[in-house]
Amino acid sequence: MSIVVLDKVSKKYRLSRLGSKSIREELGRMMNNLKPSSRGQAGSDEFYAVKEVDLAVKRGETIGFIGPNGSGKSTLLKLLARIIYPSEGKIMVGGSVASLIEVGAGFHPELTGRENIFLYGSIMGMKKAEVAKKFDRIVEFSEMEKFIDTPVKRYSSGMYVRLGFAVAAHINPAVLLVDEVLAVGDANFQSKCQQRIEQLRRGGMTIAFVSHDMPAVERLCDRVVFISKGQIKAVGKPQDVISIYYNEVLFAKKSSTGLAQNNTGLAIESQTSLYGQNAEILSVKFFNGDGQETDTISTGDKLTARIHYRTYTQIEDPVFELLFYSPDDRLYTHLTTAINGTNIDSLPDEGIVEFDCSEFGLTPGIYKTDAIFSQRGSVAPYDLKPRQYILKVLPGKSVRGMFYNPQQWRLLPPAETISVQSADSNFG
Ligand SMILES: Nc1ncnc2c1ncn2[C@@H]1O[C@H](COP(=O)(O)OP(=O)(O)OP(=O)(O)O)[C@@H](O)[C@H]1O
Ligand SMILES: [Mg+2]
C-alpha cells in the first residue's frame, strides 16, 4: 500500500531567482505569480529542479535520497512537505507529514522554543493537550531545557536543528521527512537522531531521508533513490544504488581528489619522489580476487597490492608500507611489513613485494595511498610516494560500524562446552 505517490512531478524555477529559498520568499513568489509577468518571454531562463519524477513509497518504508549538490533532493522533500508545489504532475500523500528540511523552517523566530513546539503541534493538527503530553519528551530529547524560553531567533543553527528534529520525531506523523540539515548537529546529536530514526522506522513510520552520509543511508534505508539533475537515475536496494552513485558521481570526478587518471584508471599525482636516491618505488598496483589489475574492489573482497621497487645500493632490513587515507586526509589503515613479522633478508636489486588480504575491511569510499620503502628503525625512508595511488571501495559485504571484519561464529558442541567450562573454572 503506497502512502506517497508522485506522478510525473516537475518543479520549474527561474535561474534569475536562484538562491532565494526561504518560505517567505517562496510565498512572495507565489503571490507575484498571480500577477501578469513583467519579465521577458516565459521559459527563457527557466530550468527544472525536479523533472518528471514518478515514485511510490510504501507505508512503513524508509526511503533514502542521494545525489550530488543541487540535484533536487531538498526540492523533492519540500514538494512532499507542501512547502512548495509542483509546476507539473501530481503528489498524493496519505497522512500527516512532519519535516526537518531547512534549519529553522517551520519555526517562528520571535516565539520561544516552548511556543514553537505548541505552534508546530497545532500545524500538525494536534490538540494542545496532546502536545503538552509530549512536551517533556521533546525538550529532553533536544537537550534544550535551558533555552526553551528563549526566542528561537537567538538559537544557533545546531540548536534550531536539535529542537526541529526533536519536535518532528515525537509528534507521530504518518510520514517523516529529514534532510541533510541533521549534519549541522554535533556528532553526539547526529548519532542520537539516527538512533531515533531507527526506532521510528521499527515502529512502522514512513520516513524519507536525504543524506550524503552513505554508511548511514545504507544502514537506515530499505530503498534508495539516486537523483541527478532533478531526475531519478536509479531506485533499488541501498547497496546497489550507492554503488551506482559512487561509480557515476564520485569516482568519475577527477577533481574530487585533484588527481589525474592514467589509462589503467590508477591515479598519479606526479612522478615526484620525495626521496629515491638509494632505492625507489616504481609503482603500486592493486589486484582483485581474480588476479586482475583494478582500482576498484568491494568491502570484504580479496585485495592484493604489489609494490614494484628498485635499489641502487645495498639495503639492509627493508620495510614496505601502504597507508590508506580518506579524501579529507584521515588515515584509515596502515599496512606495514614492520609489524606483521615479515622479514626480508636479502633483497634483489629490483623486484615486487606483495601484500595480500583475503577480506579487505575498508568501507565504501575513495582512498589515497602512500607507499613507503624504508629501513627498519630509520627515520628517513628510502622512498615515499605520497597520496599517489587511488583505491576505490564499493559496498560489498555488509558493515555494521566503522569497518568490515571477517568473522566466523559457531555454537560449540556439548562435549567442547564442558571442556571449555572446566578450563575456565581452573582459571577462576
Ligand atoms: N527557491 C528556489 N528558486 C530557484 N532555484 C532553486 C530554489 N530552490 C532550489 N533551487 C535550485 O534547484 C536545484 C536543486 O536544488 P536542491 O536544493 O533541491 O538540491 P539538493 O539536491 O538538495 O542539493 P544539496 O545536496 O546541496 O542539498 C538547484 O539548482 C537549486 O539552485
Ligand atoms: Mg539539499
Side-chain angles (χ1 to χ4, degrees):
M1 223 319 247
S2 296
I3 186 164
V4 175
V5 178
L6 289 105
D7 179 16
K8 286 235 170 320
V9 170
S10 298
K11 180 67 185 174
K12 245 192 287 188
Y13 278 129
R14 292 223 157 84
L15 278 168
S16 50
R17 284 172 180 162
L18 264 173
S20 50
K21 287 188 175 185
S22 74
I23 293 176
R24 179 179 296 167
E25 284 164 304
E26 197 63 52
L27 268 173
R29 194 169 309 124
M30 280 159 53
M31 307 278 277
N32 282 336
N33 284 348
L34 298 176
K35 299 181 204 153
S37 173
S38 55
R39 297 181 157 273
Q41 70 277 48
S44 60
D45 66 346
E46 287 174 339
F47 78 102
Y48 284 97
V50 164
K51 193 165 184 213
E52 290 174 2
V53 166
D54 286 316
L55 186 69
V57 181
K58 288 197 280 289
R59 196 177 287 276
E61 192 175 29
T62 298
I63 190 152
F65 292 92
I66 61 173
N69 292 133
S71 55
K73 305 179 297 295
S74 299
T75 305
L76 253 181
L77 287 204
K78 285 182 205 165
L79 286 164
L80 293 177
R82 297 193 188 91
I83 295 172
I84 56 174
Y85 292 88
S87 320
E88 291 143 35
K90 272 197 220 114
I91 299 176
M92 191 286 288
V93 181
S96 60
V97 179
S99 63
L100 186 66
I101 296 180
E102 280 173 323
V103 174
F107 284 161
H108 192 296
E110 300 295 336
L111 300 181
T112 64
R114 180 189 302 274
E115 290 162 342
N116 267 298
I117 294 176
F118 282 95
L119 176 69
Y120 197 93
S122 79
I123 292 172
M124 290 295 300
M126 291 168 77
K127 298 216 171 70
K128 202 170 167 196
E130 276 178 85
V131 182
K133 238 169 62 190
K134 294 192 167 160
F135 184 82
D136 288 346
R137 241 178 299 154
I138 293 172
V139 177
E140 193 194 333
F141 187 94
S142 69
E143 299 169 32
M144 294 282 295
E145 290 90 345
K146 262 167 77 185
F147 302 96
I148 203 64
D149 290 309
T150 303
V152 300
K153 66 178 178 190
R154 303 221 186 96
Y155 283 11
S156 70
S157 38
M159 288 159 77
Y160 262 114
V161 163
R162 278 172 176 262
L163 194 64
F165 183 82
V167 177
H170 284 87
I171 54 175
N172 259 331
V175 182
L176 175 65
L177 310 174
V178 184
D179 203 340
E180 187 68 357
V181 284
L182 280 185
V184 306
D186 58 38
N188 221 350
F189 191 69
Q190 276 183 47
S191 82
K192 195 166 152 178
C193 292
Q194 288 188 11
Q195 279 170 34
R196 179 68 187 161
I197 291 174
E198 181 64 38
Q199 207 176 27
L200 293 171
R201 176 191 174 188
R202 271 192 247 115
M205 190 177 287
T206 309
I207 302 169
F209 178 58
V210 169
S211 182
H212 293 282
D213 176 356
M214 293 307 136
V217 170
E218 196 185 341
R219 210 170 42 245
L220 292 171
C221 298
D222 302 306
R223 207 152 55 109
V224 173
V225 181
F226 165 28
I227 302 198
S228 172
K229 297 185 182 131
Q231 288 183 298
I232 294 183
K233 268 288 187 91
V235 190
K237 276 196 279 188
Q239 252 197 12
D240 300 344
V241 178
I242 291 170
S243 286
I244 295 171
Y245 172 61
Y246 272 125
N247 267 323
E248 291 203 7
V249 179
L250 298 183
F251 293 170
K253 231 192 248 169
K254 294 183 207 170
S255 56
S256 65
T257 60
L259 302 179
Q261 307 263 330
N262 66 13
N263 56 5
T264 65
L266 288 177
I268 290 177
E269 194 160 53
S270 68
Q271 286 301 337
T272 50
S273 282
L274 297 186
Y275 304 89
Q277 299 292 321
N278 295 328
E280 221 183 330
I281 292 167
L282 301 174
S283 72
V284 175
K285 288 179 176 166
F286 298 112
F287 299 84
N288 63 21
D290 299 328
Q292 282 159 337
E293 189 181 340
T294 183
D295 61 354
T296 309
I297 61 156
S298 300
T299 299
D301 275 6
K302 179 175 160 66
L303 175 73
T304 300
R306 293 198 186 122
I307 305 175
H308 184 184
Y309 71 88
R310 189 180 293 143
T311 64
Y312 306 108
T313 179
Q314 182 70 24
I315 302 281
E316 301 287 332
D317 207 357
V319 167
F320 289 90
E321 299 173 80
L322 290 172
L323 292 87
F324 292 82
Y325 296 85
S326 58
D328 61 352
D329 244 11
R330 273 187 294 170
L331 176 63
Y332 269 64
T333 187
H334 181 170
L335 314 167
T336 167
T337 60
I339 56 167
N340 83 332
T342 310
N343 285 314
I344 302 167
D345 294 330
S346 77
L347 199 66
D349 292 348
E350 185 174 336
I352 288 173
V353 174
E354 187 176 87
F355 161 84
D356 227 350
C357 177
S358 56
E359 292 173 272
F360 200 61
L362 288 180
T363 48
I366 190 159
Y367 298 90
K368 296 176 277 183
T369 308
D370 282 357
I372 303 174
F373 180 4
S374 61
Q375 183 176 27
R376 193 185 299 271
S378 127
V379 185
Y382 294 124
D383 198 9
L384 162 62
K385 291 284 200 283
R387 313 290 196 274
Q388 198 147 324
Y389 309 98
I390 296 291
L391 182 69
K392 302 161 191 174
V393 182
L394 293 172
K397 295 196 176 128
S398 78
V399 178
R400 297 275 181 274
M402 301 293 284
F403 57 88
Y404 169 77
N405 241 2
Q407 49 193 300
Q408 283 85 40
W409 295 77
R410 69 184 178 116
L411 175 67
L412 293 187
E416 262 184 73
T417 306
I418 290 160
S419 73
V420 169
Q421 274 172 345
S422 59
D424 280 351
S425 55
N426 285 345
F427 286 109

